[in-house]
């Protein structure tokens, strides 16, 4: 699974699910009696029952509020028992029967825990051995992307499924754990003329009782969370991936989407074909399933790797060759990520959720790597480092978690899907691959896949495969030092004799924080600017490195090391001076470590500003953005005085106005089709900085004029690349009237890019009058649930409206938590209020959310948020004035 915005994902995911960790779901005496039979499993089920095969027969009409199902599960019972523990959430069970030993046993269904643990109780004991469990039930569609959910798009209703992590239980009864991996035979009964999609190829379509009956071939072994069932008047483009050395026959592939996207997915089809070919070459195995469907949904916040039936946000797959560099990068990275899961996650699946890091971390690394192989001109690979360095800002907190840690309860599962798993995990995989060498690492991956094909595996299995391939047993403790403990290593360089440096490692901590002592096996690669790379494995608290060559010290060659560095002042200055010419990854590493040094109270404001200026000259678009992003963080948080803000705006104008003169700016549709992607991406960054930070009147006038022409009906006046910026400028100029007009434009459109861009511009206007109207309009029935909650989040999170948004939140918290799926909104709220910067606000956030999230999903994120807000306040008090004074001096 891949979320486009990790910070926002839990806001819109699982809207149909309860806040995990709440009291048991059922309070009636019968359920209480069932729960009293034995301890309720709050995490893994016991080994008392093992499923062997599922037969799912569901009647699905997306235009209705409910769907119904008949499910049969063949299983094996370890010992005689009068109850069976399994999973089901919100299923209105009309019949539950067991058949064993030629006898039929009537059962009573009880949901006994809020996460969806159920107990099927019989009046007499089932015998040990084979048993078939049969169920008839109804359930409600969700309105957000969890379980089986439906959305009206235009005049038509569609339904999709999104089951990771534990939402399959909201669609059908079963043993909803990754370790239970068995075949599924799916039947979907729909209105005639509708398309039905599942994991396996459709075997037949017949008509029964006025319904179309779509029967699918049995799947290869799957866990419950990878099952897919989609229904609606979809449209599709079809093709095949030609045979490869790994696969003898062509692979059928389709891109399936809602009607309004028809004719807009040819790019996705061709891109998918190329990415599959690259992945087969890397794994040296054929695509693991008999067909591949790439499916889109307008409310999916990212993508999901259902076996043979991946699901994506519309915006990921709906594009053409004229799309922006950023859009194409997202396509290449996310599609490569999800399709790599077809092997690493689907073909070989974690035995339990504590190893989900291995799925997601590896897929994140593969997403950037394979995406880069598919389109080297897009520089997709550099984005992996950007995510890794971004994750360090979370990993640097004292409150947190290791990549790999025990997950004893269902309430803790979703907390594993965060920037630590994706950003840090992917960076650590890249670091180990770089240290081992690409050939050895790939050999280890292939050996791991071959040993566990169509089965389950653990981190221990993966580490063993890497050690065997590398021939170096030290690789296991080195990897585990990064996966099994929290924190970011800080490697400090101190001058030694004759050009050497003494290096020490410690855990990085921000100003005022006290992090526990830890030690890593750091694969440390360093060089001089004009000198060879030298690598060593730093396992002790200190060591020595002697470098050959001349020029600046480069402490993280390639930027692939997951560590920060601290340098003597003179070495910092030399490295900063060389920033414009550094390779992109090394420039990103410089930006992150310089930011971290300032946050820790060491680097000076002058060094921070000089770093931003020099990095802005780097030709790599990720690197050039990194330095100014650091200053923007401090500005957005409120560290800068008015004079400091004015100086910051002058700095942005001074750096970027000359760049725009060279690049040029024409906002019309497809004005830069065929241009070098890095040049296009640089223009996007330059225009954004000038329009939003410097508030350059010339740039804003161009955007406003194009935006007005577009909204007046000139479809070619504004390329989708500039939707967000142009709409924001119009909002700034026109206030509430402009916001209302843009809101209506959004709700009248089903366009995959226009609608979300317009709603985002309205909600994130920073205008108090507009924000009040947005909050008052939250009940507009034309808004989808995820859109409604996203707009509320934007108001609360925007610098200009966050104070009023937080006050509104205090008054309406219970209303949000109690209806419309908003209960899961509470789990994402800590990140939403994380933009504040004071100890007083930290206390308020803790007081508001602490009692509501104690022991539940979201509790860890609340601890992180409170620490972030408090730490920011401490930094503001300690260094805000000196940073503001340094910026104010800029002419």
């Amino acid at each position: 699974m891949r979320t486009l915005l990790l910070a926002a994902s839990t806001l819109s995911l699982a809207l149909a699910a309860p806040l995990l960790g709440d009291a048991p779901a059922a309070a009636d005496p019968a359920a209480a009696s069932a729960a009293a039979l034995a301890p309720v499993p709050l995490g893994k089920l016991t080994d008392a029952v093992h499923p062997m095969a599922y037969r799912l027969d569901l009647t699905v009409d997306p235009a209705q509020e409910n769907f119904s199902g008949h499910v049969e599960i063949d299983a094996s019972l370890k010992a005689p028992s009068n109850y069976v523990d399994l999973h089901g959430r919100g299923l209105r069970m009309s019949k539950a029967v067991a058949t064993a030993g030629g006898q039929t046993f009537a059962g009573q269904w009880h949901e006994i825990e809020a996460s969806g643990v159920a107990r099927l109780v019989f009046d007499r004991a089932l015998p040990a051995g084979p048993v078939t469990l049969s169920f008839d039930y109804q359930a409600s569609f969700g309105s957000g992307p969890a379980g089986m959910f439906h959305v009206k798009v235009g005049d038509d209703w569609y339904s999709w499924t999104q089951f990771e992590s534990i939402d399959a239980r909201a669609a059908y009864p079963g043993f909803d754990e990754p370790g239970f991996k068995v075949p599924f035979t799916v039947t979907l009964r729909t209105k005639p003329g509708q398309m039905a999609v599942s994991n396996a190829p459709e075997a037949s379509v017949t008509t029964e009782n006025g319904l179309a009956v779509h029967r699918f071939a049995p799947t290869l072994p799957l866990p419950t969370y990878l099952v897919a069932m989609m229904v609606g008047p979809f449209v599709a483009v079809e093709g095949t991936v030609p045979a490869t050395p790994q696969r003898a026959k062509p692979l059928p592939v389709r891109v399936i989407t809602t009607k309004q996207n028809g004719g807009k997915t040819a790019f996705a089809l061709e891109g998918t074909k190329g990415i599959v070919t690259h992945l087969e070459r890397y794994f040296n195995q054929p695509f693991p399933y008999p067909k591949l469907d790439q499916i889109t949904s307008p409310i999916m916040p990212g993508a999901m790797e259902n076996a043979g039936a991946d699901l994506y946000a519309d915006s990921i797959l709906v594009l053409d060759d004229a799309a922006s560099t950023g859009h194409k990068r997202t396509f290449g990275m996310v599609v490569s990520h999800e399709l790599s899961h077809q092997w690493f996650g689907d073909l070989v699946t974690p035995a339990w959720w504590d190893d989900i890091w291995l799925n997601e971390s590896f897929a994140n690394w593969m997403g950037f790597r394979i995406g880069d192989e598919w389109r080297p001109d897009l520089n997709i690979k550099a984005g992996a480092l950007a995510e890794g360095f971004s994750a360090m800002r979370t990993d640097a907190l004292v409150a947190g978690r290791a990549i790999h840690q025990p997950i004893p309860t269902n309430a803790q599962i979703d907390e594993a899907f965060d920037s630590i798993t994706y950003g840090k995990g992917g960076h650590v995989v890249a670091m180990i691959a770089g240290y081992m060498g690409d050939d050895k690492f790939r050999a280890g991956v292939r050996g791991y896949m071959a040993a566990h094909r169509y089965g389950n595996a653990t981190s221990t299995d993966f580490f063993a495969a890497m050690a065997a391939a590398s021939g170096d047993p030290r690789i296991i403790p080195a990897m585990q030092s990064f996966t099994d403990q929290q924190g970011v290593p800080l490697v400090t360089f101190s001058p030694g004799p004759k050009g050497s440096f003494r290096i020490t490692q410690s855990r990085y901590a921000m100003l005022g924080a006290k992090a526990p002592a830890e030690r890593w096996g750091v694969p440390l690669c360093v060089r001089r600017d004009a000198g060879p790379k030298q690598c060593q494995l730093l396992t002790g608290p200190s060591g020595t490195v002697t470098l050959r060559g001349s020029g600046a010290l480069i402490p993280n060659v390639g930027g692939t090391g997951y560590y920060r560095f601290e340098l003597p002042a003179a070495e910092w200055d030399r490295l900063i001076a060389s920033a414009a010419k550094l390779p992109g990854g090394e420039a990103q590493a410089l930006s992150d470590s310089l930011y971290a040094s300032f946050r820790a109270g060491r680097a000076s404001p002058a060094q921070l500003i000089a770093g931003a200026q020099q990095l802005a000259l780097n030709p790599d678009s990720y690197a050039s953005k990194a330095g100014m992003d650091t200053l923007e963080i401090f500005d957005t948080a409120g560290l800068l005085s008015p004079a400091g803000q004015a100086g910051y705006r002058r700095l942005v104008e001074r750096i970027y106005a000359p760049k725009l003169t060279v690049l040029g700016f024409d906002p019309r549709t497809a004005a830069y089709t065929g241009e070098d992607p890095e040049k296009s991406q640089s223009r996007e960054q330059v225009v954004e900085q000038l329009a939003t930070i410097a508030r350059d009147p010339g740039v804003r006038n161009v955007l406003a004029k194009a935006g007005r022409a577009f909204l007046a009906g000139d479809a070619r006046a504004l390329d989708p690349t500039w939707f967000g910026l142009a709409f924001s400028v119009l909002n700034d100029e026109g206030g509430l009237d402009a916001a209302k007009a843009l809101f209506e434009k959004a709700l009248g459109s089903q366009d995959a890019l226009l609608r979300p861009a317009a709603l985002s511009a309205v909600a994130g206007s920073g205008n108090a009058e507009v924000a009040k109207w947005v909050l008052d309009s939250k009940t507009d029935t034309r808004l989808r649930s995820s859109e409604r909650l996203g707009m509320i989040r934007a108001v609360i999170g925007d610098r200009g409206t966050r104070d009023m948004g937080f006050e509104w939140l205090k008054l309406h918290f219970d209303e949000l938590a109690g209806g419309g799926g908003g209960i899961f909104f509470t789990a994402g709220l800590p990140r939403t209020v994380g933009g504040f910067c004071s100890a007083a606000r930290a206390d308020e956030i803790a007081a508001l959310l602490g009692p509501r999230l104690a022991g539940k999903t979201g509790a860890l994120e609340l601890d992180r948020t409170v620490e972030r807000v408090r730490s920011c306040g401490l930094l503001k008090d300690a260094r805000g004035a000196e940073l503001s004074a340094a910026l104010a001096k800029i002419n």
Side-chain angles (χ1 to χ4, degrees):
M1 184 175 185
R2 170 73 192 190
T3 52
L4 290 181
L5 293 172
L6 288 171
S9 61
T10 50
L11 182 68
S12 52
L13 277 172
L15 295 174
L19 188 61
L20 302 189
D22 277 345
D28 64 276
S33 177
L37 289 173
V40 176
L42 300 180
K44 273 188 180 183
L45 299 174
T46 69
D47 64 352
V49 185
H50 279 264
M52 308 301 290
Y54 287 77
R55 291 176 292 281
L56 308 182
D57 190 333
L58 274 64
T59 300
V60 181
D61 181 354
Q64 303 302 314
E65 292 300 313
N66 303 307
F67 60 93
S68 61
H70 173 76
V71 170
E72 297 178 358
I73 307 173
D74 295 334
S76 177
L77 194 63
K78 187 175 181 179
S81 178
N82 68 334
Y83 71 89
V84 170
D85 286 340
L86 68 168
H87 297 110
R89 188 175 65 237
L91 307 179
R92 299 185 291 278
M93 198 65 62
S94 59
K95 185 178 181 181
V97 174
T99 304
Q103 301 182 66
T104 299
F105 300 76
Q108 294 295 319
W109 172 272
H110 303 286
E111 189 177 333
I112 57 175
E113 194 267 337
S115 71
V117 178
R119 185 162 282 166
L120 187 57
V121 180
F122 303 93
D123 57 8
R124 54 199 173 106
L126 301 176
V131 61
T132 296
L133 305 173
S134 302
F135 306 90
D136 293 299
Y137 64 97
Q138 283 194 337
S140 298
F141 286 104
S143 58
M148 182 173 281
F149 62 97
H150 68 164
V151 172
K152 190 176 185 181
V153 184
D155 296 326
D156 299 301
W157 284 90
Y158 301 80
S159 69
W160 300 263
T161 56
Q162 162 55 40
F163 290 155
E164 191 175 36
S165 59
I166 55 171
D167 289 318
R169 62 191 67 180
Y172 61 92
F175 299 84
D176 194 13
E177 296 183 3
F180 295 125
K181 199 169 177 183
V182 300
F184 284 76
T185 302
V186 175
T187 298
L188 295 174
R189 299 172 187 267
T190 75
K191 291 170 63 176
Q194 296 206 324
M195 183 184 295
V197 183
S198 190
N199 305 89
E202 190 173 62
S204 68
V205 182
T206 59
T207 301
E208 297 178 17
N209 301 318
L211 295 177
V213 182
H214 306 259
R215 291 184 170 87
F216 297 87
T219 70
L220 293 160
L222 296 178
T224 50
Y225 80 90
L226 290 176
V227 173
M229 296 174 282
M230 323 302 188
V231 172
F234 294 106
V235 294
V237 292
E238 303 183 21
T240 59
V241 185
T244 64
Q246 296 79 26
R247 176 175 37 79
K249 297 180 179 180
L251 173 71
V253 59
R254 299 184 293 182
V255 180
I256 298 170
T257 188
T258 52
K259 286 180 180 178
Q260 87 284 358
N261 294 328
K264 300 178 182 179
T265 55
F267 182 97
L269 180 66
E270 293 307 310
T272 294
K273 294 177 185 178
I275 289 169
V276 167
T277 301
H278 282 286
L279 285 164
E280 288 181 324
R281 184 181 303 124
Y282 183 87
F283 289 114
N284 198 32
Q285 293 184 18
F287 188 81
Y289 302 100
K291 59 89 177 174
L292 171 60
D293 289 328
Q294 301 276 73
I295 308 155
T296 83
S297 168
I299 66 168
M300 189 70 182
M304 177 63 204
E305 66 269 17
N306 307 308
D310 279 2
L311 180 62
Y312 299 84
D314 276 0
S315 61
I316 298 173
L317 298 190
V318 180
L319 75 165
D320 58 26
D321 202 49
S324 69
T325 298
H327 198 171
K328 291 175 185 173
R329 282 175 173 175
T330 297
F331 170 85
M333 186 274 159
V334 176
V335 171
S336 298
H337 176 116
E338 299 306 327
L339 293 184
S340 74
H341 271 312
Q342 299 291 311
W343 286 266
F344 211 103
D346 296 7
L347 179 65
V348 180
T349 306
W352 178 244
W353 296 109
D354 55 355
D355 282 318
I356 196 64
W357 76 270
L358 192 54
N359 259 23
E360 299 300 342
S361 299
F362 180 82
N364 221 49
W365 177 73
M366 283 289 284
F368 289 105
R369 177 199 170 98
I370 298 299
D372 201 71
E373 287 185 8
W374 166 68
R375 284 286 301 270
D377 59 316
L378 295 174
N379 192 25
I380 292 173
K381 194 173 184 178
L385 300 179
E387 282 201 2
F389 290 124
S390 178
M392 288 184 187
R393 295 173 187 170
T394 297
D395 204 21
L397 298 168
V398 176
R401 67 174 189 89
I403 298 175
H404 178 224
Q405 65 176 23
I407 299 181
T409 70
N410 292 324
Q412 295 170 293
I413 293 170
D414 282 344
E415 290 181 340
F417 294 86
D418 65 359
S419 63
I420 298 302
T421 289
Y422 290 85
K424 177 179 181 177
H427 204 138
V428 169
V429 170
M431 179 173 64
I432 298 301
Y435 182 76
M436 286 178 60
D438 199 56
D439 291 343
K440 288 184 177 180
F441 184 79
R442 183 171 53 239
V445 169
R446 290 175 176 178
Y448 169 80
M449 301 298 295
H452 304 285
R453 184 176 173 85
Y454 295 114
N456 296 95
T458 67
S459 296
T460 300
D461 298 321
F462 181 74
F463 292 150
M466 292 298 108
S470 69
D472 185 353
R474 298 181 304 163
I475 202 69
I476 293 180
M479 290 179 72
Q480 289 176 324
S481 73
F482 282 91
T483 61
D484 293 359
Q485 64 183 356
Q486 181 196 347
V488 183
L490 176 68
V491 180
T492 300
F493 290 74
S494 303
K498 298 181 181 179
S500 68
F501 287 91
R502 183 173 184 271
I503 49 176
T504 59
Q505 65 160 298
S506 59
R507 177 171 168 176
Y508 172 81
M510 291 183 288
L511 186 68
K514 294 183 179 179
E518 290 175 351
R519 187 183 300 174
W520 291 263
V522 182
L524 183 71
C525 291
V526 299
R527 67 178 177 89
R528 284 288 187 186
D529 193 18
K533 177 174 77 170
Q534 296 172 231
C535 296
Q536 65 184 77
L537 189 62
L538 179 64
T539 57
S542 63
T544 301
V545 59
T546 301
L547 297 176
R548 299 188 298 277
S550 60
L553 168 63
I554 313 297
N556 188 348
V557 175
T560 57
Y562 188 83
Y563 56 86
R564 286 171 162 167
F565 53 81
E566 188 61 66
L567 303 177
E571 292 293 345
W572 269 126
D573 292 341
R574 274 193 286 271
L575 183 57
I576 290 168
S578 68
K581 298 180 181 179
L582 289 175
E586 294 172 1
Q588 288 189 61
L590 160 60
S591 177
D592 174 74
S593 286
L594 185 57
Y595 160 85
S597 182
F598 181 82
R599 287 293 312 248
R602 291 185 285 268
S604 69
Q607 289 175 317
L608 196 67
I609 294 167
Q613 291 175 299
Q614 290 299 313
L615 285 163
L617 301 175
N618 194 291
D620 182 280
S621 57
Y622 287 101
S624 64
K625 188 173 184 290
M628 295 306 294
D629 279 355
T630 294
L631 293 178
E632 186 175 353
I633 289 171
F634 297 136
D635 178 43
T636 302
L639 260 73
L640 304 183
S641 67
Q645 287 181 310
Y648 172 44
R649 288 195 295 271
R650 290 193 296 272
L651 176 65
V652 171
E653 183 77 26
R654 191 171 80 183
I655 291 173
Y656 291 106
K659 284 192 169 190
L660 190 60
T661 299
V662 174
L663 291 167
F665 177 38
D666 181 352
R668 289 176 298 178
T669 299
Y672 299 107
T673 300
E675 184 179 55
D676 174 70
E678 280 289 280
K679 185 176 181 181
S680 293
Q681 187 66 15
S682 294
R683 181 181 296 103
E684 290 180 44
Q685 293 170 3
V686 167
V687 172
E688 181 179 9
Q689 290 284 329
L690 290 172
T692 61
I693 307 300
R695 301 183 70 84
D696 181 283
V699 172
R700 290 172 68 85
N701 286 340
V702 171
L703 287 166
K705 181 180 178 180
R708 282 192 291 268
F710 176 83
L711 295 176
D714 183 356
R716 297 191 60 80
L718 185 67
D719 190 90
T721 301
W722 312 111
F723 278 173
L725 286 176
F727 296 158
S728 294
V729 170
L730 291 176
N731 251 357
D732 286 349
E733 290 185 354
L736 182 57
D737 289 342
K740 288 181 177 180
L742 195 55
F743 184 76
E744 291 299 322
K745 180 73 173 180
L747 295 186
S749 172
Q750 302 299 329
D751 186 88
L753 299 179
L754 188 154
R755 181 175 174 126
L759 292 177
S760 177
V762 170
S765 68
N767 181 307
E769 185 182 19
V770 173
K772 182 180 184 304
W773 176 78
V774 166
L775 296 174
D776 290 342
S777 301
K778 64 181 172 59
T779 56
D780 192 310
T781 56
R782 296 172 297 170
L783 282 171
R784 298 160 183 159
S785 294
S786 57
E787 292 170 338
R788 184 179 302 116
L789 296 179
M791 293 186 78
I792 293 171
R793 175 185 176 274
V795 168
I796 299 170
D798 188 272
R799 173 174 57 179
T801 55
R802 61 188 170 208
D803 288 322
M804 69 166 289
F806 188 61
E807 294 306 313
W808 183 92
L809 177 65
K810 291 179 184 177
L811 297 175
H812 295 84
F813 185 94
D814 292 333
E815 172 192 341
L816 287 173
I823 229 168
F824 221 89
F825 175 64
T826 59
L829 275 176
R831 283 193 286 267
T832 302
V833 297
F836 290 107
C837 190
S838 74
R841 279 298 194 199
D843 292 339
E844 287 187 77
I845 294 167
L848 177 66
L849 300 181
R852 292 169 168 87
L853 295 179
K856 302 170 186 174
T857 303
L860 172 59
E861 195 55 45
L862 174 61
D863 290 342
R864 286 170 168 165
T865 296
V866 169
E867 184 181 345
R868 274 194 196 98
V869 173
R870 195 180 305 281
S871 175
C872 182
L874 179 62
L875 181 71
K876 181 178 181 179
D877 292 342
R879 310 209 68 183
E882 62 172 325
L883 179 58
S884 294
L887 286 166
K889 294 177 182 177
I890 294 173
N891 297 319

